[in-house]
Amino acid sequence: MADNFNFELVSPERLLLSEQVIDVVIPASEGEMTVMAHHAPTMTTIKPGVVKVHSASGKKQDYVVFGGFADILPTGCTLLAESAIAVEDLSNDELTRRINAAKAELEDAEHHEHKSRLEHFIMELSHLRGSIQQD
């Protein structure tokens, strides 16, 4: 049986989750990453995506995050999200609103680097919308 560890999901508004978990799948910038107890110390940026939490109690919970970073230690993981919401609380309208806001910002962007980041963000949100609608 796998060991448990503490996982915290924090957004600027509030602490969304703090509990003992078996594993957590996070949307790291370099690809999905499964975190378990005794994981090597790692810090990674987070792209828009779904965080899949498997609690020690057996409960499974999914949260949508819109960027941030994760601090992973052998004893726990803290994910500091730019914004986060439970999947069941996220509407398609909210994702569309975020995509449209990013597109509007892209129209006004002057620097190539900023435009590139916004285009990538829009792509990630569009992919996220497609994957959530399929679930």
Side-chain angles (χ1 to χ4, degrees):
M1 181 165 187
D3 290 339
N4 300 331
F5 65 100
N6 191 58
F7 174 69
E8 291 189 338
L9 176 58
V10 183
S11 74
E13 299 85 30
R14 64 190 172 112
L15 174 67
L16 284 101
L17 184 68
S18 179
E19 64 183 65
Q20 291 291 304
V21 300
I22 296 169
D23 61 60
V24 177
V25 178
I26 59 175
S29 295
E30 301 299 319
E32 275 194 352
M33 177 180 204
T34 300
V35 179
M36 299 178 78
H38 313 294
H39 195 287
T42 306
M43 186 168 280
T44 184
T45 55
I46 300 298
K47 66 182 180 181
V50 178
V51 175
K52 299 174 184 175
V53 181
H54 185 191
S55 299
S57 66
K59 182 178 171 185
K60 294 186 178 183
Q61 304 167 76
D62 292 345
Y63 295 87
V64 174
V65 294
F66 296 96
F69 70 92
D71 185 18
I72 303 165
L73 298 170
T75 56
C77 174
T78 300
L79 194 154
L80 301 172
E82 291 174 14
S83 179
I85 186 170
V87 166
E88 61 268 12
D89 296 336
L90 182 65
S91 70
N92 191 42
D93 290 344
E94 173 64 16
L95 274 175
T96 299
R97 185 191 66 73
R98 288 178 184 256
I99 291 169
N100 290 339
K103 285 179 178 177
E105 187 177 344
L106 178 60
E107 288 178 15
D108 295 334
E110 294 181 15
H111 300 307
H112 174 72
E113 190 174 299
H114 187 214
K115 287 181 181 182
S116 180
R117 280 196 308 268
L118 285 169
E119 288 168 347
H120 188 73
F121 185 68
I122 292 165
M123 180 193 67
E124 293 288 353
L125 289 180
S126 298
H127 176 75
L128 177 62
R129 180 171 52 188
S131 66
I132 289 175
Q133 288 174 344
Q134 292 172 0
D135 291 346

